[in-house]
Every structure is written in structure tokens, then in C-alpha cells.
Amino acid sequence: MSVRVLVVEDEAIVAIDIADQLTEAGFMVIGPAPSVAKALKLIEDVGCDVAVLDVNLRDETAEPVARELRSRRTPFLFLSAVSRDHLPAGFSDEVLLPKPARSEVLVAALQSSITESSRN
């Protein structure tokens, strides 16, 4: 079974690009989810093994999604144009990749997150 990656991204073209990169790398993409509500629904209904979160989603942040993933012990990383000091409070220790990330960097970061999570 392939690893299920939830993609939370509000810009459609960027979301499609991320989904395509991950699919080509052998992941099963869940979403993309353009909003917190959609992401939380997908987590509840489908679940995921790891997630890629943009920090800013139109007029909201991905903080509620990150909190839910953390409570489920599901690894995630941020893929965003914000700097580390703009991450939601309590999440400054999470992986932050700058947009746009090269496919091999994103895939390696996801694999590292999964490996690290399985050790804990």
C-alpha cells in the first residue's frame, strides 16, 4: 500500500503541481484540500499517513489542521512562502520548506518525516 499524503493548499495550480509531484514519486494524494474545513473532513473520513500544509489558506491558517495531525501523531511538514517566525505558535520546530520546493526535496522531507515518526 502506498503512503497517503494529505495536501493542504489553497492555490489550485500549486496544489495540482504538488499532487502531481507526489503521485509521480509513488505517494497516494489525499485532497488537495483548499481550506481547514475540507482538510479536517478528509482527516476524519479518509485519514492520512503524512501531510503537506501551506500555512496561509486565504483568510485562515492551517494551524487547526496541524493541531489535529499532531494530536493523532501524524507527521506533517509546512510548504509555504512564510518564514519560520510566521509559523503558528508552537510549531516552530516543524519542517518548513520554502515554496516552490523541488520535487526531490519535498519527497525526501516527507520520507524523513515518516521515518522519524516511526521511531517515536
Side-chain angles (χ1 to χ4, degrees), residues 27-75:
F27 293 101
M28 176 192 295
V29 174
I30 308 298
S35 68
V36 168
K38 177 71 174 176
L40 292 175
K41 179 133 179 65
L42 286 170
I43 291 168
E44 185 66 32
D45 294 349
V46 182
C48 63
D49 302 307
V50 66
V52 176
L53 311 177
D54 186 6
V55 173
N56 294 316
L57 305 169
R58 289 191 175 78
D59 59 349
E60 59 187 351
T61 72
E63 182 176 0
V65 179
R67 290 202 183 286
E68 179 63 22
L69 291 167
R70 187 177 273 175
S71 76
R72 292 171 179 254
R73 300 185 190 276
T74 302

Side-chain angles (χ1 to χ4, degrees), residues 3 5 7 10 15 18-20 31-32 39 45 50 53 57-59 64 73 75 84 87 90 99 104 106-107 116 118:
V3 174
V5 181
V7 174
D10 62 329
I18 294 167
D20 287 348
D45 294 349
V50 66
L53 311 177
L57 305 169
R58 289 191 175 78
D59 59 349
R73 300 185 190 276
R84 183 159 298 282
L87 289 177
K99 278 185 185 176
E104 60 271 15
L106 177 57
V107 168
E116 183 65 28
S118 68

